[in-house]
Amino acid sequence: MTCEGPGHRLVNVLITTLDLQKEPLEFRQEIAEGAIDYAPDTRQVGVLPVTGRADLIVEHRGPQEQVEDIRLRAEYRGQFEVLCARCVEPVAVPLTGEFDLLFRPENADAEAGERAITEDETEIGYYGKSGLELEDVVREQVLLSLPGRTLCTPDCKGLCAHCGQNLNVMQCGCAGSAGLKDPRWSALQGLALKQ
Ligand SMILES: [Zn+2]
Ligand SMILES: [Zn+2]
């Protein structure tokens, strides 16, 4: 586990079962702006404080077989910016979330591939050989928590399909939009008809 103070960028928190065998991990991490690449239209604004705890859960699957799971519980509260689905201007989205998830080793369920996944197992994720990266989990949880479609205002006029003008800021002169109502355009259209 690496934990460094603010100012250090791109520092990832790696949770390993080896660490958890000694004791549960309590963390209070500040994820720097830009440290996580969320999605092309989503960005974190300022630091994202994430507070939580990781525990080792040992599953006894048989007399010889033990599976070491990581239970990760955390909460976060931060500011995000998402692009408006119509005019692609950034929209501020405050986000608060919490999660309680279970992660199994990558290969734990490989042979049980046919095993039906029950309802309460849908929340199960997997961790790789090196461990579980807190940032990966936070990224996924943030993306799941964001609304599917964000608009800057409910009646955002969007962009003109012809010239790309943001119609919330200014009307453009393109025919097909409000351009038809523009007298200059009516005049030009009149000319075109006469030719
Ligand atoms: Zn908009
Ligand atoms: Zn236009």
Side-chain angles (χ1 to χ4, degrees):
M1 146 122 197
T2 327
C3 232
E4 296 189 29
H8 293 261
R9 295 171 69 90
L10 308 170
V11 174
N12 289 358
V13 177
L14 189 67
I15 302 163
T16 68
T17 48
L18 204 62
D19 285 337
L20 297 180
Q21 278 162 9
K22 290 172 220 142
E23 56 179 355
L25 170 72
E26 303 231 10
F27 56 86
R28 181 177 291 269
Q29 183 74 5
E30 295 205 327
I31 297 176
E33 181 179 309
I36 297 179
D37 195 4
Y38 291 92
D41 65 345
T42 305
R43 106 183 162 86
Q44 179 188 315
V45 180
V47 294
L48 179 69
V50 183
T51 312
R53 169 186 177 109
D55 292 275
L56 183 70
I57 309 270
V58 181
E59 281 186 72
H60 298 273
R61 289 194 171 176
Q64 302 295 322
E65 197 192 355
Q66 286 192 355
V67 175
E68 292 189 329
D69 298 341
I70 297 173
R71 181 183 181 187
L72 181 63
R73 283 173 277 184
E75 51 182 47
Y76 58 86
R77 179 190 296 264
Q79 281 294 332
F80 289 83
E81 230 175 48
V82 177
L83 302 185
C84 169
R86 286 189 199 148
C87 72
V88 297
E89 286 295 314
V91 184
V93 181
L95 202 63
T96 305
E98 55 179 2
F99 53 84
D100 184 349
L101 301 165
L102 196 66
F103 295 87
R104 284 199 176 125
E106 226 162 32
N107 302 320
D109 292 334
E111 20 183 299
E114 298 297 310
R115 200 167 56 98
I117 292 175
T118 62
E119 287 268 310
D120 25 316
E121 279 185 306
T122 51
E123 291 286 272
I124 287 179
Y126 294 91
Y127 64 86
K129 282 194 185 67
S130 51
L132 178 65
E133 239 176 67
L134 177 65
E135 282 75 3
D136 288 347
V137 181
V138 170
R139 176 182 181 275
E140 202 182 320
Q141 292 302 310
V142 164
L143 289 175
L144 283 172
S145 308
L146 286 168
R149 183 179 154 86
T150 306
L151 294 177
C152 58
T153 55
D155 58 348
C156 169
K157 297 191 186 83
L159 303 178
C160 169
H162 300 283
C163 70
Q165 168 66 44
N166 183 341
L167 300 174
N168 299 312
V169 178
M170 198 180 84
Q171 276 294 350
C172 62
C174 296
S177 62
L180 281 176
K181 292 176 203 139
D182 185 325
R184 286 167 302 174
W185 269 100
S186 306
L188 281 174
Q189 280 176 335
L191 283 175
L193 284 174
K194 278 178 207 154
Q195 281 172 355

